[in-house]
Amino acid sequence: MSRRRVETCDSWRPPRKNHAGAPPLLRAGPRIPAFASLSVRDGGDAAAAVAKAVEEVVVVRADEVKEQKAAVVAEEERTARRLPPAAQLVRHPLALLALVPNSAALFAAGAAAGTIAKTVTAPLDRVKILMQTHSVRVAGKSAKKGVGFLEAMADIGKKDGLKGYWKGNLPQVIRIIPYSAVQLFSYEVYKKIFRRKDGELSVFGRLAAGACAGMTSTLVTYPLDVLRLRLAVQSGNSTLPQVALNMLREEGLASFYGGLGPSLIAIAPYIAVNFCVFDLMKKSVPEKYKNRPETSLATAILSATFATLMCYPLDTVRRQMQMKGTPYNTVFDAIPGIVERDGLTGLYRGFVPNALKNLPNSSIKLTVFDTVKTLIATGQKEMDKLIQENEEKTS
């Protein structure tokens, strides 16, 4: 009957040479501490020794995980203790903004700003749409190429009354909540993505971030934009669900994405130019004026005007491609078709009400967003100041 003996030692180094007849050695892995170096003599069971060593390592690792979890809990408790008491926060309400996640605050600000801006400018928006789509709506019924601003305003009041000026505003408001929030929030995310290694953001990076933000928000909310247009151009008292069901039954699911291509093409340069010009102009303002709301408002108006002048023809193209019975299948069909039917001015039909609508709309949205970012930063500074004061008092 063979005699077995397993020996352990505190430290072990491999021999320089492997002499004949030397006992087989069992090396420890990288995770096994010094105690787990083993030798087996007289035909000992190596597998049992390894199992025992691994079991001890698992126990050690489990203890380490428990210690890490305890450290995390202790850190959370320490952070919670550092927060100022509720009574102190009430006396410094600005510090409460530091408790709200940045993404939630920016999302809410974008949604509220977009809703207010769209509701205020809804009458101008409907006039612009009627002017843009006149030639498609009356094709074969009238020789008149276009309708003027005052004529379109009077026509809405005559057919639909006062409520007609806000017709189609509900889907627009429903759409603008996620649209503004996604656009403004994703712009900040894309700016981080396109930032250079040195931390700076080039003009191209700003343009790319704005283009990606515009396309992202448009893609998410496009079906509601089509529904808003259909409600705006139809007379009568059709509701949003009725229009949606009719489109689905008569034209299929693809009708909710009619004109998506030119919409993405139109919105990408518009948002890119608008946001980029706004950021660059704001950056060039003297430091003492940067955080003032009137500075944000002025720069937003100028950036929106510049972007509208550059990108408006593509907006006219997408509106005519969204219409039921549109003769245009692609952007390359629509642009020459509009020029042939309405002349070059047809590409800028409805520009005046659009400019009157876009200027306050973009200005309110960008101004509120910029102001909220400033408030969030100020609130964080206020919170840090209160925490520091409390720690100095207790130390």
Side-chain angles (χ1 to χ4, degrees):
M1 192 170 175
S2 62
R3 181 170 53 87
R4 300 179 180 179
R5 182 162 56 93
V6 177
E7 294 181 351
T8 63
C9 56
D10 293 334
S11 62
W12 173 85
R13 289 185 177 86
R16 296 182 180 275
K17 294 182 181 180
N18 189 14
H19 299 285
L25 298 175
L26 190 63
R27 289 189 178 90
R31 291 181 178 271
I32 301 178
F35 68 82
S37 56
L38 306 171
S39 65
V40 181
R41 295 184 177 177
D42 299 332
D45 191 350
V50 171
K52 182 179 179 181
V54 171
E55 183 180 358
E56 291 176 352
V57 171
V58 170
V59 172
V60 172
R61 295 298 299 166
D63 291 340
E64 290 177 358
V65 171
K66 289 180 181 179
E67 290 177 1
Q68 291 174 358
K69 289 183 178 180
V72 171
V73 172
E75 177 63 22
E76 291 177 351
E77 291 177 352
R78 187 180 66 82
T79 304
R81 286 196 299 269
R82 286 178 57 203
L83 290 177
Q88 191 177 18
L89 288 175
V90 170
R91 294 195 300 270
H92 299 83
L94 196 59
L96 291 171
L97 287 176
L99 302 178
V100 180
N102 287 4
S103 56
L106 296 178
F107 187 95
T115 301
I116 294 169
K118 283 296 181 184
T119 302
V120 170
T121 59
L124 290 170
D125 197 31
R126 191 177 181 205
V127 169
K128 181 206 75 167
I129 290 174
L130 291 179
M131 292 177 71
Q132 282 181 314
T133 59
H134 176 77
S135 59
V136 176
R137 288 184 292 109
V138 300
K141 300 178 183 178
S142 173
K144 194 173 182 179
K145 291 184 177 180
V147 60
F149 175 66
L150 295 177
E151 187 179 353
M153 287 283 289
D155 191 51
I156 293 172
K158 188 187 301 181
K159 289 182 179 178
D160 301 318
L162 185 62
K163 291 191 298 184
Y165 292 103
W166 280 270
K167 190 173 184 180
N169 189 55
L170 178 61
Q172 181 71 338
V173 168
I174 295 173
R175 167 185 170 268
I176 206 63
I177 291 175
Y179 180 82
S180 293
V182 169
Q183 187 180 92
L184 294 169
F185 179 72
S186 63
Y187 179 58
E188 296 298 314
V189 173
Y190 285 125
K191 281 201 297 185
K192 294 178 182 177
I193 293 174
F194 290 108
R195 203 177 296 278
R196 295 195 303 245
K197 291 182 179 179
D198 60 0
E200 293 296 320
L201 190 64
S202 64
V203 174
F204 176 78
R206 293 181 191 278
L207 289 171
C212 291
M215 289 190 290
T216 301
S217 56
T218 299
L219 194 62
V220 169
T221 61
Y222 192 76
L224 284 170
D225 190 41
V226 176
L227 284 173
R228 185 274 302 241
L229 174 109
R230 295 295 184 92
L231 271 175
V233 300
Q234 290 180 10
S235 57
N237 297 315
S238 299
T239 62
L240 178 63
Q242 289 172 344
V243 173
L245 289 174
N246 288 337
M247 286 177 61
L248 191 61
R249 183 169 54 249
E250 298 174 7
E251 304 172 60
L253 185 62
S255 63
F256 290 92
Y257 293 91
L260 177 61
S263 295
L264 293 176
I265 295 172
I267 200 65
Y270 176 79
I271 298 300
V273 172
N274 193 3
F275 284 10
C276 179
V277 172
F278 177 80
D279 279 352
L280 292 176
M281 290 181 67
K282 190 75 184 294
K283 193 176 180 181
S284 64
V285 172
E287 193 66 34
K288 63 179 180 178
Y289 298 114
K290 277 187 179 180
N291 295 330
R292 297 175 65 169
E294 55 268 29
T295 302
S296 298
L297 186 62
T299 52
I301 290 174
L302 291 174
S303 62
T305 303
F306 186 69
T308 302
L309 281 169
M310 287 186 61
C311 307
Y312 187 78
L314 286 172
D315 187 56
T316 300
V317 168
R318 89 181 163 102
R319 290 303 184 192
Q320 295 208 11
M321 290 187 69
Q322 286 176 341
M323 290 292 296
K324 181 179 180 181
T326 179
Y328 311 124
N329 295 319
T330 67
V331 179
F332 303 105
D333 296 334
I335 292 177
I338 294 171
V339 172
E340 183 181 354
R341 175 182 289 177
D342 303 326
L344 285 173
T345 56
L347 293 172
Y348 282 90
R349 192 81 66 189
F351 178 80
V352 173
N354 181 74
L356 293 174
K357 172 188 75 76
N358 268 353
L359 294 183
N361 183 32
S362 296
S363 302
I364 291 171
K365 191 162 62 174
L366 285 175
T367 302
V368 170
F369 186 66
D370 198 56
T371 302
V372 168
K373 286 201 299 182
T374 303
L375 286 175
I376 291 173
T378 306
Q380 186 61 56
K381 290 179 181 178
E382 186 74 15
M383 176 65 78
D384 293 340
K385 181 181 177 182
L386 291 177
I387 292 173
Q388 186 177 0
E389 290 176 354
N390 291 341
E391 287 180 347
E392 289 176 355
K393 290 177 182 178
T394 55
S395 61

